[in-house]
Amino acid sequence: MDDLIDGPPANPIKIQDTSFRDGHQSLLATRLRTEDIIPIAERMDEVGFWAMEVWGGATFDAMHRFLGEDPFERLRTLKQYMKKTPFTMLLRGQNLLGYRHYADDVVRLFVDKTCEAGMDIFRVFDALNDFRNIETAAERVKANGKHFEGAVLLTLSGNRFGGEVFTLDYYINKGKELQDMGADTVCFKDMGGIMNPLDVGLLIRTLKEELTVPIHFHAHCTSGMASMGYLEAIRAGVDIVDTCLAPFAFRASQPAVETMVATLSGTNRDPGFDLNLLLEMDEYLEGIAPKYRDYAAKHRMSVVDTEVIVHQVPGGMISNLVNQLKEANALDRLPEVYREVSVTRKDLGMPPLATPTSQIVGVQAVLNVLFGRYKIVTNEVKDLVYGLYGRTPFPVDQEVQKKVLKGYKKGETPITGRPADYLEPELESARKKVGDLAKDDYDFLIYALYPSTGERFLRWKYGLEEKPEEIKPKTLEDIRKEDDAMAAAIEKICATQ
Ligand code: CO
């Protein structure tokens, strides 16, 4: 593979836009509304993106819970405006878009209906990189003739590549496993933004030698390294990268597309995008962004999360640790907790720190510091050690396993099979429970994934219950009033000084 050189665009980089999923999920608590996407949807479709990630991740939860929006309706609506560019979603394997493992019958119906609603590319991952947990979803994606993108979570045990578990070989083998499962593309996901750019280059170069499927790289700017990682990935021959429009880029989100376009301009990997068209859309997003400013982080100047560089702990996990310690009035023990996180994580088999494992490891690490190691054990840790989340990358420590599972109601000997094989089918009983409230399979799936908030959403949808005031969107008029009041208050302060 040629390095990056000036010349004709012989091998243009393919770019997936993430503004309407990961971008606002990372920066604005997933609150972006369909009505604010529609005005630029047709222009986005003209850019020439390889795909646009518009759904999945936390959007399904946020839409039905906080926005009063039907997630499937958004998908169908956007499809009407963007007919050329394929749509991508992020799917958490057997967890779908929820926080537990669902039975296979739910997974099958979910993938089938999502295909029908207009999804083209499914990026599927598992929190433990245990691909038995994505088998059922992958099988249905392929059966529907859609694009299966298998994803590997990138995680480390130190600040560079290597160590006992997460070696180059580990990742090459994971990539090959997905290729053998029939993945159309394989994605490597640096969800914590922890990867050293030079390691990214090494990883991609080796993947391009060892795998035949196209390689997709996804990273977050949390630690400030992602744009450098993208450049190294591109030099190493990566096929596809994920970017965001500038207003929704950087910080905890993806690198900006405008920056990549400018950097690659005139080279053999030039994507050939119209920069002016991108800037037009940036201006539009700047115009609507104030409606969402209450959700943006504004507690510090730095756009670089320096703690992440030091501890390799994802940003979201750090704020949870801090909150948990604050509640226990023990914030001074944070340095101990950072050390304990890496010990607890090793005890529990080195799970990648993603949803939900980052939470499971973090909560247990705090309990270990406050009350003594494994004196109090959460049910989630018991389930993890018992094997209900799947196979951990490294064996669980034998002593810890004995201690954690002693007297556990599900059993003291861990299961070793595919976790979903231990689950009973769920559809029939869920259908009985929701009754006529669900008018079709789409309604039914919202309920099946989220029984309590899903039921409440369906009651809003069919006018059986009034939508509460707080889920109605702020308007630009509200924002102007807020700003005027703030300006008046500041003037008053200045006048009295
Ligand atoms: Co992401």
Side-chain angles (χ1 to χ4, degrees):
M1 180 57 61
D2 289 337
D3 196 351
L4 196 55
I5 48 169
D6 285 331
N11 179 23
I13 185 79
K14 297 181 178 75
I15 295 183
Q16 170 169 286
D17 176 82
T18 60
S19 305
F20 303 144
R21 204 287 294 178
D22 212 349
H24 72 103
Q25 179 172 329
S26 299
L27 300 184
L28 301 172
T30 334
R31 296 303 208 275
L32 190 64
R33 290 170 184 273
T34 307
E35 67 197 42
D36 286 325
I37 301 175
I38 289 173
I40 51 166
E42 282 165 331
R43 275 178 287 169
M44 285 296 271
D45 202 23
E46 297 300 324
V47 174
F49 292 118
W50 175 76
M52 296 184 53
E53 192 192 42
V54 298
W55 212 70
T59 60
F60 191 98
D61 186 349
M63 271 187 269
H64 88 278
R65 188 191 300 261
F66 300 122
L67 308 181
E69 274 195 40
D70 184 329
F72 289 106
E73 188 57 37
R74 173 179 295 186
L75 182 51
R76 282 189 296 260
T77 303
L78 294 184
K79 202 71 191 176
Q80 288 169 15
Y81 292 91
M82 296 183 273
K83 297 199 166 90
K84 289 191 279 197
T85 314
F87 282 177
T88 303
M89 75 169 291
L90 181 68
L91 188 68
R92 295 192 279 268
Q94 206 76 26
N95 281 18
L96 296 174
L97 302 175
Y99 304 99
R100 65 172 176 91
H101 277 179
Y102 298 96
D104 284 332
D105 58 349
V106 182
V107 175
R108 288 190 195 105
L109 182 68
F110 180 84
V111 173
D112 289 351
K113 297 310 282 186
T114 303
C115 290
E116 195 182 289
M119 190 50 61
D120 304 292
I121 301 171
F122 291 74
R123 174 180 289 174
V124 198
F125 77 98
D126 171 65
L128 295 179
N129 284 334
D130 179 350
F131 299 144
R132 297 174 305 172
N133 291 331
I134 70 174
E135 268 171 22
T136 304
E139 188 273 318
R140 287 319 300 163
V141 173
K142 302 285 282 182
N144 280 282
K146 302 295 180 180
H147 182 121
F148 162 44
E149 175 163 272
V152 182
L153 298 183
L154 289 167
T155 181
L156 297 172
S157 42
N159 58 6
R160 290 297 299 268
F161 233 6
E164 291 176 85
V165 191
F166 302 111
T167 59
L168 191 53
D169 279 348
Y170 169 85
Y171 288 118
I172 301 301
N173 289 332
K174 285 290 159 192
K176 282 184 178 163
E177 238 184 273
L178 291 170
Q179 181 173 284
D180 292 344
M181 285 172 75
D184 297 291
T185 45
V186 172
C187 177
F188 284 77
K189 249 170 79 75
D190 180 11
M191 64 284 176
I194 54 171
M195 290 296 288
N196 180 297
L198 303 177
D199 289 336
V200 172
L202 173 67
L203 173 70
I204 301 294
R205 203 167 301 118
T206 316
L207 285 166
K208 288 303 291 175
E209 281 162 16
E210 302 277 335
L211 271 69
T212 53
V213 290
I215 305 296
H216 194 155
F217 184 62
H218 171 93
H220 288 254
C221 297
T222 325
S223 74
M225 296 192 284
S227 301
M228 291 185 279
Y230 276 24
L231 188 60
E232 291 298 327
I234 290 166
R235 302 183 87 110
V238 78
D239 298 277
I240 316 156
V241 292
D242 285 358
T243 64
C244 251
L245 289 175
F248 287 178
F250 298 120
R251 293 156 286 187
S253 177
Q254 271 78 63
V257 62
E258 301 81 354
T259 310
M260 300 311 298
V261 168
T263 303
L264 299 174
S265 164
T267 71
N268 55 336
R269 312 276 341 244
D270 190 336
F273 291 176
D274 176 356
L275 202 48
N276 288 325
L277 175 58
L278 295 172
L279 300 189
E280 232 178 72
M281 290 186 291
D282 291 345
E283 206 175 312
Y284 166 77
L285 282 184
E286 289 293 353
I288 56 109
K291 292 204 243 175
Y292 301 98
R293 67 184 180 191
D294 290 351
Y295 300 105
K298 43 188 168 297
H299 56 289
R300 59 206 302 238
M301 281 296 285
S302 176
V303 295
V304 173
D305 193 332
T306 43
E307 297 289 343
V308 172
I309 295 184
V310 181
H311 305 288
Q312 290 83 48
V313 171
M317 184 174 169
I318 294 173
S319 50
N320 284 334
L321 295 175
V322 168
N323 285 339
Q324 210 186 332
L325 282 173
K326 260 189 204 155
E327 270 168 36
N329 232 338
L331 196 53
D332 56 314
R333 303 188 75 177
L334 188 60
E336 270 175 89
V337 168
Y338 278 135
R339 280 192 297 274
E340 181 60 27
V341 164
S342 68
V343 182
T344 305
R345 184 176 172 218
K346 190 158 185 220
D347 290 344
L348 299 179
M350 291 301 266
L353 299 176
T355 306
T357 40
S358 54
Q359 187 65 7
I360 297 173
V361 170
V363 170
Q364 189 60 46
V366 172
L367 292 175
N368 285 354
V369 165
L370 294 180
F371 303 106
R373 310 200 72 234
Y374 303 102
K375 289 279 193 298
I376 299 176
V377 179
T378 65
N379 283 329
E380 288 77 16
V381 166
K382 289 176 189 170
D383 283 348
L384 177 69
V385 171
Y386 186 63
L388 285 181
Y389 289 87
R391 197 186 294 124
T392 51
F394 195 68
V396 173
D397 181 89
Q398 286 300 299
E399 286 305 306
V400 170
Q401 180 182 308
K402 257 187 237 153
K403 216 186 269 181
V404 165
L405 292 184
K406 194 156 189 285
Y408 187 41
K409 60 180 191 303
K410 291 177 187 163
E412 295 193 353
T413 312
I415 59 167
T416 55
R418 188 182 72 107
D421 287 336
Y422 300 83
L423 298 174
E424 296 296 330
E426 296 178 38
L427 287 183
E428 220 182 285
S429 74
R431 281 198 199 277
K432 267 187 210 140
K433 275 189 208 140
V434 70
D436 325 331
L437 188 57
K439 305 287 179 244
D440 55 24
D441 278 346
Y442 296 113
D443 283 352
F444 170 64
L445 280 164
I446 296 170
Y447 172 82
L449 261 60
Y450 288 97
S452 104
T453 53
E455 181 177 334
R456 186 184 60 179
F457 169 76
L458 293 176
R459 298 181 64 80
W460 291 339
K461 179 174 171 180
Y462 293 110
L464 302 169
E465 205 176 292
E466 185 75 22
K467 279 185 200 176
E469 200 56 35
E470 69 263 24
I471 72 158
K472 295 191 179 137
K474 252 189 192 174
T475 63
L476 288 171
E477 187 55 34
D478 296 335
I479 297 294
R480 266 189 289 275
K481 275 183 200 151
E482 274 179 17
D483 283 350
D484 289 349
M486 177 70 85
I490 291 171
E491 224 165 86
K492 206 167 154 194
I493 293 166
C494 293
T496 58
Q497 276 174 350

